[in-house]
Amino acid sequence: MQWSIKLGTVAGTEIRVHVTFALLLIWIWVMHYRIGGLPAAWEGVAFIISVFLCVLLHEFGHIAAARGFGIKTPDVTLLPIGGVARLERSPTKPLEEFVIAVAGPLVNVVIATLVVVLIGGTLGWEQMVAPQDPRIDFLARLAGVNIFLFIFNMMPAFPMDGGRV
């Protein structure tokens, strides 16, 4: 993809980030800075980077499933609106398409579950009433984002994963 920068390679798949992603991070930094100063600005950027690490893992779910069917995956590109894993070819059988499509969202379910277990089996609802620990708040929001990513990606609209299912 043009205008993307290679960050590295994992198991033969290039990880790329589109230059417009920098604009997103700058915008997040400025908006959070205006709300809560320097600590809030860096926390906002850290949260967005964490979300996009989850998006990257989601894409690697698709990649792992595709490789299971012998489909090579040359690269994955992160954009401000999400990620795109490029497959060397399209799946040839409906079952392959199904498995590859659901593999990404299932990664988000696993991430959300692990984070909820890590923070003690809660999504931090009591934090909203009486905030106590900003780390738990951060992780609870990250779990919530992963649940949202699952629901959003499973919408039955092409090119979303649910549309492929």
Side-chain angles (χ1 to χ4, degrees):
M1 183 174 286
Q2 290 184 347
W3 294 88
S4 64
I5 299 165
K6 180 180 173 182
L7 296 180
T9 302
V10 173
T13 299
E14 283 185 7
I15 300 172
R16 306 185 71 79
V17 63
H18 198 269
V19 294
T20 55
F21 190 78
L23 297 174
L24 172 66
L25 292 178
I26 291 167
W27 182 74
I28 291 294
W29 193 93
V30 169
M31 292 298 108
H32 281 77
Y33 181 83
R34 292 180 65 197
I35 294 167
L38 202 54
W42 289 118
E43 188 273 334
V45 168
F47 186 74
I48 293 300
I49 290 171
S50 297
V51 167
F52 275 88
L53 285 174
C54 294
V55 170
L56 183 62
L57 291 173
H58 169 111
E59 295 303 325
F60 269 95
H62 294 307
I63 289 167
R67 287 187 180 173
F69 294 113
I71 301 171
K72 294 182 182 176
T73 53
D75 57 56
V76 59
T77 303
L78 295 176
L79 303 153
I81 58 169
V84 177
R86 189 166 57 97
L87 306 181
E88 191 174 67
R89 65 174 176 82
S90 295
T92 56
K93 298 176 184 165
L95 180 62
E96 292 176 357
E97 180 83 21
F98 175 81
V99 170
I100 293 169
V102 299
L106 287 178
V107 168
N108 294 113
V109 170
V110 170
I111 293 169
T113 302
L114 290 174
V115 171
V116 168
V117 167
L118 179 70
I119 61 177
T122 176
L123 281 177
W125 304 120
E126 64 281 349
Q127 283 279 111
M128 292 179 183
V129 177
Q132 299 164 12
D133 188 344
R135 293 171 298 189
I136 290 177
D137 179 53
F138 184 97
L139 292 172
R141 289 187 297 135
L142 191 61
V145 166
N146 276 281
I147 293 167
F148 172 79
L149 288 172
F150 170 78
I151 293 167
F152 182 76
N153 276 284
M154 290 308 294
M155 287 192 316
F158 192 80
M160 304 305 293
D161 298 327
R164 295 181 183 282
V165 169

